[in-house]
Amino acid sequence: MNKKQLLEFVHQAEALCKQRKCRLTDQRKRVLELILSAEKPLTAYEILDQLRESVKNPAPPTVYRALEFLLQHGLIHKLESIHAFIGCTHPDHKHTSQFLICNDCGDVNEIENKAIEKSLHSAEQAAGFKTSHPVIELLGTCSQCQLSNSH
Amino acid sequence: MNKKQLLEFVHQAEALCKQRKCRLTDQRKRVLELILSAEKPLTAYEILDQLRESVKNPAPPTVYRALEFLLQHGLIHKLESIHAFIGCTHPDHKHTSQFLICNDCGDVNEIENKAIEKSLHSAEQAAGFKTSHPVIELLGTCSQCQLSNSH
DNA sequence: AAACAAAATGTTATAATATTACATTTTATA
DNA sequence: TATAAAATGTAATATTATAACATTTTGTTT
Ligand SMILES: [Zn+2]
Ligand SMILES: [Zn+2]
Ligand SMILES: [Zn+2]
Ligand SMILES: [Zn+2]
């Protein structure tokens, strides 16, 4: 994400928080910016390292608290299979999504596939199960890396 | 899983390993038994604790190595979202599966839903993505707990 | 059977991820 | 301004996972 997109995105986050009467404090904003600026998903401790440049003595709770807030408000997602965090591409509306995670380049593609969601919902219904948090992460190789690998 | 089922299951695992020319050693078998005997998914360190009864000074690598073997041969599954392991309900054939994980009682239901798999496959195709390891875990409330909770 | 190589296990240490507990500061609002 | 709630600071610790190297066991060749 480039500088302009970043500013725009953070602006949107600020607007959302104002609307929801929650506070996107400097620290939370800083963590969000770090995540959005990164090419790849960041782990909590990678964020912690990068925070040292803008915060004096950041400790794990500093990061984990900010992450918790950002997760709660749908501004970021946690990728359970790789213990890392990425920005949400459309935080304005509630949604479930699926993630295509490339093992080769680390890139992640967040998709919102209605057919997948429908099939999951059917299975839930059949089992009488009420899902509160779906974890749908496909680990594999992205199209770019498939090309590179075959050369 | 009761004692009889356990024996049967372990017997099947032994047969599979023999067929595949890999060794289900005593330790590996012990770890498998612990996982199969448990009511709920076990974490690596829960297994480690329980191993103390049959092994003298078990250390983390003892458990993680056994888990790695059992995972490789499809005898168990790892639940990424809760860092825990469960026995596979049908290790005889290669498969991808989905897990319904109850946050209330901890129970896990492994399903193999073709509609879900088909929808995932379509999405992968559309993105040109080649999945090697799908992580499909639905966290929520099982039907039993929904009933209990509403009382 | 003896020699050898490969596989499995033992052992110690450490890395990586995440939370608890309690003190202090900042912010909102009465 | 007083108060309570929210956010942050700080130190310690818990939990999950791996690295590195020594030793033992197993399977295979001679
Ligand atoms: Zn999203
Ligand atoms: Zn890639
Ligand atoms: Zn299975
Ligand atoms: Zn339940």
Side-chain angles (χ1 to χ4, degrees):
Chain A
M1 187 179 284
N2 66 34
K3 190 92 183 180
K4 192 188 165 198
Q5 288 175 306
L6 178 68
L7 284 173
E8 206 171 307
F9 203 103
V10 170
H11 190 74
Q12 187 187 2
E14 282 170 334
L16 278 170
C17 285
K18 188 163 187 180
Q19 192 183 310
R20 293 172 189 171
K21 300 199 188 308
C22 64
R23 294 170 51 208
L24 187 63
T25 61
D26 284 353
Q27 283 201 32
R28 290 166 176 172
K29 186 154 67 179
R30 190 76 200 98
V31 170
L32 178 60
E33 286 167 352
L34 288 172
I35 292 171
L36 294 174
S37 304
E39 287 293 307
K40 307 283 173 272
L42 295 180
T43 67
Y45 278 75
E46 285 169 347
I47 294 166
L48 185 58
D49 281 342
Q50 297 193 25
L51 258 193
R52 284 183 223 293
E53 290 176 15
S54 55
V55 179
K56 38 175 195 312
N57 266 329
T62 301
V63 171
Y64 281 102
R65 284 168 182 156
L67 291 171
E68 187 184 17
F69 174 89
L70 297 170
L71 284 170
Q72 272 172 359
H73 293 90
L75 297 170
I76 62 172
H77 292 292
K78 177 172 189 179
L79 301 171
E80 298 288 348
S81 61
I82 58 172
H83 306 282
F85 301 84
I86 57 166
C88 173
T89 50
H90 32 41
D92 51 301
H93 69 293
K94 243 194 161 179
H95 61 281
T96 64
S97 44
Q98 303 87 40
F99 302 93
L100 309 183
I101 305 172
C102 182
N103 288 323
D104 291 28
C105 66
D107 197 40
V108 177
N109 185 8
E110 176 180 1
I111 63 176
E112 213 181 316
N113 183 301
K114 293 305 169 195
I116 295 174
E117 284 162 25
K118 196 175 162 190
S119 66
L120 290 172
H121 195 68
S122 296
E124 290 160 15
Q125 294 281 76
F129 189 88
K130 195 161 169 36
T131 298
S132 56
H133 180 56
V135 173
I136 312 298
E137 301 177 9
L138 304 181
L139 296 149
T141 312
C142 75
S143 54
Q144 286 236 327
C145 287
Q146 286 173 56
L147 283 172
S148 324
N149 293 349
S150 66
H151 286 175
Chain B
M1 186 179 282
N2 67 34
K3 190 91 183 179
K4 192 187 168 202
Q5 288 176 307
L6 178 69
L7 284 173
E8 207 170 307
F9 203 104
V10 171
H11 189 75
Q12 188 188 1
E14 282 171 333
L16 278 172
C17 284
K18 188 163 189 179
Q19 192 182 309
R20 294 172 189 172
K21 301 202 188 306
C22 63
R23 294 170 52 208
L24 187 63
T25 61
D26 284 352
Q27 284 201 33
R28 291 165 174 173
K29 185 154 65 179
R30 189 76 200 99
V31 169
L32 178 59
E33 286 167 351
L34 288 173
I35 292 171
L36 294 174
S37 305
E39 289 292 309
K40 308 282 172 268
L42 295 181
T43 68
Y45 278 76
E46 284 168 348
I47 295 166
L48 184 58
D49 281 342
Q50 297 193 26
L51 258 193
R52 284 184 223 293
E53 290 175 13
S54 54
V55 179
K56 40 178 191 316
N57 266 329
T62 301
V63 171
Y64 281 102
R65 284 167 181 157
L67 291 172
E68 187 185 16
F69 174 89
L70 297 171
L71 284 170
Q72 271 173 0
H73 294 90
L75 298 170
I76 62 172
H77 292 292
K78 177 173 188 178
L79 301 171
E80 297 288 348
S81 61
I82 59 172
H83 305 281
F85 302 84
I86 56 166
C88 173
T89 50
H90 33 41
D92 52 301
H93 68 293
K94 243 195 161 181
H95 61 282
T96 64
S97 42
Q98 303 88 40
F99 301 94
L100 310 182
I101 304 172
C102 182
N103 289 322
D104 292 29
C105 67
D107 197 43
V108 177
N109 185 8
E110 176 179 1
I111 64 176
E112 213 181 317
N113 184 301
K114 293 305 169 197
I116 294 174
E117 284 162 25
K118 197 174 163 192
S119 66
L120 290 172
H121 195 69
S122 297
E124 289 160 15
Q125 294 281 75
F129 189 89
K130 195 160 169 40
T131 297
S132 56
H133 179 57
V135 174
I136 312 297
E137 302 177 8
L138 305 181
L139 297 149
T141 312
C142 75
S143 53
Q144 285 235 328
C145 287
Q146 285 173 56
L147 283 172
S148 324
N149 293 349
S150 66
H151 287 175

